[in-house]
Amino acid sequence: MSYDVIVVGARVAGASTAMLLARAGARVLLLDRGRRGADMVSTHALMRAGVLQLSRWGLLERVVAAGTPAITSTTFRYPGEAPVTVAIRPSPGVEALYAPRRTVLDAILVDAAVEAGVEVRHATAVTGLLRDDTGRVRGVRTSGGDLAARYVVGADGVRSLVAAEAGAALLAAGRHRSAVRYTYVDLDADADAAGGGTQWLYGDGVAGGVIPTGGGASCVFVSSTPARLGRMRSEDQWRAALSEMAPGHPAVDARRVDRFHGWSGLPGVLRQASGPGWVLVGDAGFYKDPMSTHGITDALRDAELAANAVVAALAGDHSALPAFGHLRDELARPMLDVSDRIASYSWRGAGVVPLVKELSVAMADEVVLLEGLAAVAEGAA
């Protein structure tokens, strides 16, 4: 069987892209080498643009129904300054923020893709790309045989095989990387401690966060340079770093309810978004340091931008995919730049404040774009 589109990677970016393509009438196959419902390393906070996307797609209700608490405020803690708490301003489609575990969010998106008509195959490893006589990508090689398609979407992560096989050009790269160590703690016994909000913490060359999620737990992380985090070998040292940034916060001494998870980090990359017969979404095309807290949100954004472009390309519009790449690059470059400077950890004290504000501006530009897409969709309805 030949497909209109084969999507490689059934996580946030891939499942969302596949779902949107199928909703538009395309015949879509979604492949993933892992098993369905597996967890992955992620602190899984959704920013406003990400919540807006799930709301627009009719999936936010499922996130809430899974027991994911509403996040109604954000508190910033900078060295030597009083904490600053900002209420989450309700807007159309976004009454609050959310941080669903990846076992919840990824499953919701895959289920929605299946409901839209996507054929999904887990435990299927893609080993290469198929090409025609002109060099155009025409499908994938898998452990179970060759599969043909008019387009292949690579949503297979920062170490994307699709990107490597397609020869996607590197457009920009960061110089720094955050190492992250996180776990989950029980703050349910002290609801006031969670405060209904996230906590973003900053020290001297170290950062962290407390992110409420399902089951009465909060994801708590500490990040710094790989060298500094590598010296943080014990749980006591990890908690000491947390206490340095948020003295007296209940999360410092809260009961741990999960093992520690970690990521040694990679510098950010921005790759060519598309080429003859192929497209990249999510971390495969644009990976920025996790201190941006924006990976999932960007994946949801690019899923729609890419899906719209592929649908247009299937209909014969050869300018659609280059236009998608141009728009993605305009949004990505400021985010990549400021995330990389934060990941340098060269700032001291409140010197990180201007960088955090710059990051917020980049996020705001993204929300404006997506609200515009929503307005267009409503006008066409």
Side-chain angles (χ1 to χ4, degrees), residues 2-205:
S2 179
Y3 299 89
D4 291 319
V5 185
I6 293 175
V7 180
V8 181
R11 293 296 186 169
V12 169
S16 299
T17 304
M19 175 195 72
L20 294 168
L21 287 167
R23 286 182 177 182
R27 178 180 290 176
V28 184
L29 173 64
L30 178 61
L31 304 175
D32 197 280
R33 64 182 179 181
R35 60 180 177 83
R36 186 185 183 282
D39 202 0
M40 66 179 299
V41 174
S42 173
T43 51
H44 54 83
L46 288 171
M47 299 295 105
R48 182 178 292 272
V51 175
L52 177 60
Q53 290 298 78
L54 293 177
S55 177
R56 293 178 58 227
W57 300 341
L59 301 178
L60 185 59
E61 295 86 350
R62 302 187 192 188
V63 171
V64 175
T68 311
I71 296 172
T72 57
S73 68
T74 298
T75 299
F76 297 89
R77 295 174 180 263
Y78 303 111
E81 297 190 2
V84 176
T85 299
V86 180
I88 302 303
R89 174 181 55 82
S91 61
V94 184
E95 295 296 319
L97 303 184
Y98 297 88
R101 292 285 294 263
R102 293 299 297 271
T103 50
V104 171
L105 180 60
D106 292 22
I108 286 172
L109 291 168
V110 170
D111 287 347
V114 172
E115 292 164 12
V118 175
E119 180 184 340
V120 180
R121 301 184 194 176
H122 282 91
T124 302
V126 171
T127 59
L129 299 179
L130 303 177
R131 297 180 184 272
D132 63 17
D133 292 341
T134 69
R136 179 185 176 85
V137 172
R138 291 295 188 183
V140 299
R141 299 189 185 281
T142 77
S143 51
D146 294 350
L147 299 165
R150 295 174 65 186
Y151 284 92
V152 172
V153 175
D156 49 342
V158 65
R159 295 185 174 92
S160 170
L161 179 141
V162 174
E165 290 282 315
L170 180 64
L171 304 181
R175 296 183 299 130
H176 308 288
R177 59 189 174 105
S178 290
V180 181
R181 192 180 186 205
Y182 70 94
T183 188
Y184 294 86
V185 302
D186 182 6
L187 288 178
D188 194 41
D190 189 349
D192 290 337
T198 51
Q199 305 270 329
W200 302 120
L201 318 174
Y202 300 92
D204 286 334

Side-chain angles (χ1 to χ4, degrees), residues 205-295:
V206 65
V210 181
I211 308 169
T213 188
S218 289
C219 176
V220 183
F221 72 88
V222 172
S223 68
S224 188
T225 63
R228 178 166 179 175
L229 212 67
R231 295 192 295 271
M232 207 176 290
R233 299 184 180 279
S234 71
E235 182 171 345
D236 286 345
Q237 290 172 314
W238 180 87
R239 289 183 182 269
L242 197 65
S243 180
E244 173 189 329
M245 294 182 284
H249 192 280
V252 173
D253 298 313
R255 180 175 65 91
R256 183 161 57 85
V257 295
D258 196 0
R259 65 182 179 87
F260 277 98
H261 307 261
W263 168 239
S264 59
L266 285 171
V269 293
L270 180 65
R271 296 187 177 111
Q272 177 185 352
S274 69
W278 59 270
V279 186
L280 301 179
V281 294
D283 286 349
F286 171 41
Y287 167 79
K288 85 292 299 167
D289 192 83
M291 275 308 295
S292 70
T293 67
H294 217 62

